[in-house]
Amino acid sequence: MADTSTRIAPPHLGEPYLLTPGPLTTSLATKEAMLRDWGSWDDDFRAMTLEMRTRLLDMLGTGQGDFDCVPMQGSGTFAVEAMLASFLPKDSKTLVLANGAYGKRSVQTLEYLGRDHVVLDKGDYLPPRGEEVAQILADDPAITHVVAIHCETSSGILNPVEEISEATYAAGRKLLVDSMSAFGAIELQPSEIRYEALVSSANKCIEGVPGFGFVIARKSELEAAKGRSHSLSLDVHAQWAHMNKTGQWRFTPPTHVVAAFLEALRAHEAEGGVQGRGARYTSNRDVMVEGMRKLGFETLLKDRWLSPIIVTFFCPADENFDFDRFYQLMKDKGFIIYPGKLTIVDSFRVGCIGQMDEHVMRKVVEAAGASLKEMGVTDATPPAIALEERAKLAA
Ligand SMILES: *Cc1c(COP(=O)(O)O)cnc(C)c1O
């Protein structure tokens, strides 16, 4: 892999690195792209919107001709809600595959929307498997759709979307994917993995700033979505039809965020697209996980399920360890980490995405080692119950 040390700029003006899964550390060029104003109606901005949509579709590879890209104002959740409301018919029944906070959020969204659904809830971090999906679909012919989370950011698990997709289409149902934290770094090519729509946002693996999400969907699904949404502002069909007709967003677009995102998309291409981005994040993860393990930390997940997006570590059992203090000590050294989201044992998370490379990740490990010393923690081994939990997860 090419040495990226000269290309990755340290954060501006001594800002800390954000080891968080979005907002994340962006490049100076991406931030600088926001230093002017654009009229939303003007040709220049319409061209920017079109270039952005085209570049996003290009990431799908050969199968992209059947798809179109519809940006949506708001954070990622707004785009998820827009996708679910627009592509799930009112008389549909959906199987939601949940193994963390974002799966649960899709369930909650369906409750708000009043769309019939069942949930396969795998708890905090166990993956939903293809055989389980096949069985549930065989047992319940009323189910029409499956919703899967690509990388469940709350544990960092990379869910097996390929086998989920195979089971879904083998049973003649349709798949919608929340690829929020994976799209742009992990391939999701429709020629390899079948799905009807995916959703992601500006501030994850493309390394833009927060402000909008986007839905990438089959044109046939976009056509069929007409008149289906419960919401004026989240109506994907209406946004799509208006954008294709006028080149404009229906309501005030986040102009500066789009400008920053375009800059980030150009950098993404220069890095080698999805493959190049994924390779850097994978090396970030490998260097960081190896170093943390040397310090005695243990990951929640076994290697096969670790995503190159974010990694959950158990908190050490040592009574001198205190997460809030650890957080502050890491921040003092220039790194913002993320609290964990597990219900059974204490944990924290370290993100691998954003403008960081393996050199930065080595410094993260050094900072973690120094912070343990400052707290008087001599051993980062987690409590026995944490390791018992992990033993439940198949290799
Ligand atoms: C970030 C993220 C979302 C959206 O979260 P917002 O806070 O609304 O941007 C949805 N799903 C997953 C898997 C995510 O990582």
Side-chain angles (χ1 to χ4, degrees):
M1 208 191 117
D3 179 11
T4 53
S5 56
T6 49
R7 197 182 41 72
I8 299 280
H12 201 205
L13 302 172
E15 295 165 33
Y17 281 99
L18 299 180
L19 300 164
T20 55
L24 38 62
T25 296
T26 59
S27 73
L28 188 56
T30 294
K31 285 182 267 247
E32 278 173 350
M34 293 186 281
L35 292 176
R36 62 155 283 192
D37 305 310
W38 286 266
S40 63
W41 197 86
D42 185 74
D43 281 345
D44 291 347
F45 186 70
R46 288 191 228 197
M48 287 158 68
T49 297
L50 184 62
E51 182 184 340
M52 170 182 90
R53 294 171 68 199
T54 308
R55 283 180 173 275
L56 287 169
L57 282 173
D58 280 345
M59 287 186 208
L60 298 190
T62 50
Q64 64 166 282
D66 297 336
F67 287 76
D68 209 348
C69 172
V70 187
M72 269 285 161
Q73 295 95 328
S75 86
T77 304
F78 292 61
V80 175
E81 184 163 339
M83 170 176 81
L84 297 177
S86 299
F87 301 133
L88 298 176
K90 296 218 164 79
D91 60 355
S92 61
K93 181 172 181 181
T94 300
L95 167 62
V96 183
L97 308 177
N99 56 345
Y102 292 104
K104 288 204 177 107
R105 192 176 296 173
S106 271
V107 174
Q108 201 184 5
T109 308
L110 293 182
E111 279 161 11
Y112 265 77
L113 292 174
R115 297 285 202 282
D116 196 10
H117 58 277
V118 286
V119 185
L120 172 63
D121 187 350
K122 301 286 296 188
D124 273 351
Y125 56 84
L126 295 174
R129 303 305 303 258
E131 316 89 80
E132 297 174 286
V133 174
Q135 191 60 55
I136 295 168
L137 296 181
D139 291 346
D140 188 348
I143 296 173
T144 53
H145 290 74
V146 175
V147 169
I149 313 296
H150 194 178
C151 170
E152 175 47 83
T153 324
S154 52
S155 67
I157 190 170
L158 191 57
N159 282 322
V161 280
E162 194 163 358
E163 61 183 50
I164 291 167
S165 167
E166 274 163 21
T168 302
Y169 287 94
R173 321 301 167 83
K174 290 177 170 180
L175 179 64
L176 308 177
V177 185
D178 172 353
S179 186
M180 199 70 64
S181 61
F183 186 77
I186 300 173
E187 294 284 7
L188 195 58
Q189 298 205 0
S191 56
E192 305 286 324
I193 298 180
R194 193 162 160 197
Y195 54 87
E196 304 306 311
L198 70 83
V199 66
S200 184
S201 78
N203 60 286
K204 304 248 170 157
C205 297
I206 317 284
E207 301 184 354
V209 304
F212 68 91
F214 49 90
V215 176
I216 294 182
R218 275 180 204 280
K219 289 174 189 163
S220 53
E221 292 293 317
L222 285 162
E223 295 284 1
K226 186 172 185 181
R228 208 182 259 158
S229 181
H230 66 302
S231 161
L232 171 75
S233 55
L234 296 177
D235 185 335
V236 176
H237 178 274
Q239 180 93 323
W240 177 60
H242 184 84
M243 212 168 254
N244 279 355
K245 196 163 150 219
T246 67
Q248 295 171 45
W249 303 50
R250 279 178 308 157
F251 312 117
T252 303
T255 45
H256 300 72
V257 181
V258 171
F261 192 64
L262 252 192
E263 186 60 37
L265 279 167
R266 290 179 188 133
H268 183 270
E269 185 188 5
E271 191 174 355
V274 178
Q275 298 239 317
R277 184 60 51 94
R280 174 161 60 85
Y281 290 171
T282 300
S283 118
N284 284 352
R285 177 200 62 196
D286 291 347
V287 165
M288 189 265 294
V289 167
E290 195 196 323
M292 293 293 276
R293 283 180 176 157
K294 275 193 189 136
L295 293 175
F297 285 105
E298 299 260 5
T299 58
L300 162 73
L301 301 172
K302 291 179 185 163
D303 288 358
R304 120 146 235 210
W305 301 107
L306 285 181
S307 68
I309 309 299
I310 187 165
V311 179
T312 298
F313 293 94
F314 294 122
C315 288
D318 192 313
E319 58 181 17
N320 287 330
F321 185 87
D322 171 55
F323 177 75
D324 292 336
R325 179 101 200 282
F326 185 61
Y327 179 91
Q328 195 54 50
L329 289 169
M330 290 295 285
K331 184 175 173 186
D332 293 346
K333 294 170 184 56
F335 302 107
I336 300 274
I337 60 171
Y338 218 43
K341 264 197 178 177
L342 304 181
T343 39
I344 300 166
V345 285
D346 291 334
S347 61
F348 64 92
R349 292 176 287 169
V350 182
C352 311
I353 66 178
Q355 277 290 291
M356 308 179 301
D357 62 10
E358 60 191 271
H359 303 280
V360 175
M361 296 322 259
R362 282 201 188 89
K363 297 216 168 73
V364 173
V365 173
E366 271 169 38
S371 301
L372 289 183
K373 275 210 184 88
E374 285 168 72
M375 285 190 291
V377 176
T378 49
D379 180 1
T381 308
I385 178 183
L387 299 175
E388 281 160 31
E389 265 301 303
R390 191 177 60 181
K392 290 184 197 160
L393 183 62

